[in-house]
Amino acid sequence: MAPIGDTLRAAREEKGLALERAAEETNIARRYLAALEAEEFSVFPGEPYALGFLRNYAEYLGLSSDELVASYRNLKIQEQPVPI
């Protein structure tokens, strides 16, 4: 599967939506939507926020939220240090 951010951005652009409009219609701050599309997950106050916004934004764009959340979790697992 393509990177999370690229998938979200491509779906939004395919629908001809500006980030501002998507923010208004989802009630998710523009900076958080931009962070999702840039895969800058450190912007979020916590992982539950990142997951919730990712789910809502994916559903708004007509994407599979389960697949994107699974991709996010796989990405986070890869970032974890290997136990010694």
Side-chain angles (χ1 to χ4, degrees), residues 2-83:
I4 297 167
D6 292 345
T7 302
L8 294 170
R9 185 177 308 105
R12 179 179 55 78
E13 289 174 351
E14 186 177 299
K15 292 180 180 291
L17 296 169
L19 207 49
E20 292 77 17
R21 182 171 175 200
E24 288 174 15
E25 292 181 356
T26 59
N27 290 320
I28 300 172
R30 183 190 182 286
R31 67 186 174 117
Y32 291 136
L33 295 182
L36 286 173
E37 291 186 1
E39 295 186 28
E40 294 175 358
F41 302 112
S42 63
V43 169
F44 298 95
E47 190 169 12
Y49 287 92
L51 285 170
F53 291 157
L54 178 58
R55 247 183 225 289
N56 289 339
Y57 193 34
E59 289 173 7
Y60 168 74
L61 295 172
L63 300 171
S64 170
S65 60
D66 291 336
E67 286 181 20
L68 287 171
V69 166
S71 293
Y72 171 82
R73 289 194 169 130
N74 286 337
L75 181 68
K76 285 300 179 184
I77 288 171
Q78 292 171 4
E79 292 177 358
Q80 297 295 322
V82 177

